[in-house]
Amino acid sequence: MPPKKKGKGKGKGKGKKKGKKDDATLELEDKYKRTMDEIEALKDHLAIRKEYTRRAQSASHQVQERMSKAETMLQEHVSDQKSINADMTRQYKTMQTEMGLKIHHLEAELIRTRTHLDMTKEELKSTQEERDRMVKERDEEIHSLNIKVSSMEKAYEVILREALDNLTMKITDARKQWENKTTHIHGKAKQVLLELGLNPLDI
């Protein structure tokens, strides 16, 4: 507070002192006022700083909550991702095992099929060779039979010809003999008729 003003004094000396005191008082009041203004300004500034601090703390708290939620979500995501990765790894290993078993089964089936195919080829080759052999033997046998038939035909032809010739000769001989006998019989018959006095021409 500004100092209290003293009562008016008497005399010029006292007036001069009073003027000096008034200037000092005014200067002091002015300083006081400036100081109070600065204090008020500092108070306002401090209030603004407190508000900024409060807002910053609130924002920091919100950011921390968001970061906490984000970290929780991230941990959940990481956990879900781990679970997904583990499940995918398990599925991949299961699929790989099944694929390996399937490939092994197919390879074994392929080996059996190739073995069966080779055996079938060998059997087919053997069958073809046997068929060719049988066809060759049949052709040779037919050829041999044809030769035998041809030989038999010639032999039968010769035999038949000889038999026919012999039969022809026998027939010729028999005819001659029959003719001779007939001539002899006719001669005897004529002689008998003549002996009986008959003319053979009249009979």
Side-chain angles (χ1 to χ4, degrees):
M1 292 182 63
K4 295 181 179 181
K5 295 180 179 180
K6 295 181 179 182
K8 295 181 179 179
K10 294 181 179 181
K12 292 181 180 180
K14 292 181 179 179
K16 289 181 181 179
K17 290 181 181 178
K18 185 179 180 181
K20 289 181 179 179
K21 288 182 180 179
D22 289 338
D23 292 337
T25 301
L26 291 172
E27 184 178 356
L28 183 61
E29 288 178 351
D30 186 54
K31 287 182 179 180
Y32 177 77
K33 185 178 181 181
R34 287 198 302 270
T35 301
M36 292 302 294
D37 290 339
E38 290 178 358
I39 290 171
E40 291 296 328
L42 288 173
K43 286 181 178 180
D44 293 339
H45 183 69
L46 182 61
I48 293 172
R49 293 291 297 273
K50 286 182 178 180
E51 181 65 20
Y52 284 161
T53 302
R54 185 188 65 78
R55 291 181 181 180
Q57 289 177 349
S58 177
S60 175
H61 182 67
Q62 292 179 357
V63 170
Q64 287 179 354
E65 287 183 351
R66 291 179 181 176
M67 288 182 65
S68 178
K69 290 181 180 179
E71 288 178 356
T72 302
M73 291 177 64
L74 180 61
Q75 290 177 356
E76 291 177 353
H77 178 72
V78 170
S79 178
D80 292 341
Q81 191 68 33
K82 286 182 179 179
S83 299
I84 292 171
N85 290 337
D87 186 61
M88 290 181 66
T89 302
R90 180 184 58 79
Q91 291 181 3
Y92 173 75
K93 289 182 178 179
T94 302
M95 191 189 328
Q96 191 176 24
T97 303
E98 291 177 352
M99 186 64 67
L101 291 173
K102 190 173 183 180
I103 290 173
H104 179 72
H105 176 71
L106 290 174
E107 287 178 348
E109 186 66 24
L110 179 61
I111 292 172
R112 286 196 297 270
T113 303
R114 284 180 176 173
T115 303
H116 181 69
L117 180 60
D118 292 338
M119 291 176 62
T120 304
K121 286 182 178 179
E122 289 295 329
E123 290 178 358
L124 178 61
K125 183 180 178 181
S126 177
T127 302
Q128 288 178 344
E129 290 177 351
E130 182 67 17
R131 183 181 62 85
D132 293 340
R133 185 185 63 79
M134 291 176 65
V135 169
K136 184 177 179 181
E137 289 180 354
R138 185 198 63 185
D139 292 340
E140 291 178 352
E141 186 175 357
I142 290 173
H143 181 67
S144 177
L145 289 173
N146 286 331
I147 293 174
K148 289 180 179 180
V149 168
S150 179
S151 299
M152 289 176 66
E153 286 178 351
K154 291 179 179 179
Y156 286 145
E157 185 179 355
V158 172
I159 292 171
L160 289 174
R161 195 171 290 170
E162 289 178 352
L164 184 59
D165 291 340
N166 291 329
L167 183 60
T168 302
M169 290 176 63
K170 288 180 179 180
I171 291 172
T172 302
D173 292 340
R175 183 188 301 173
K176 288 180 179 180
Q177 291 178 3
W178 181 75
E179 288 178 351
N180 291 331
K181 287 181 180 181
T182 302
T183 302
H184 180 68
I185 292 170
H186 284 169
K188 284 185 175 182
K190 285 180 181 181
Q191 185 177 358
V192 170
L193 289 173
L194 289 174
E195 287 180 355
L196 293 173
L198 297 175
N199 188 0
L201 296 176
D202 292 337
I203 294 175

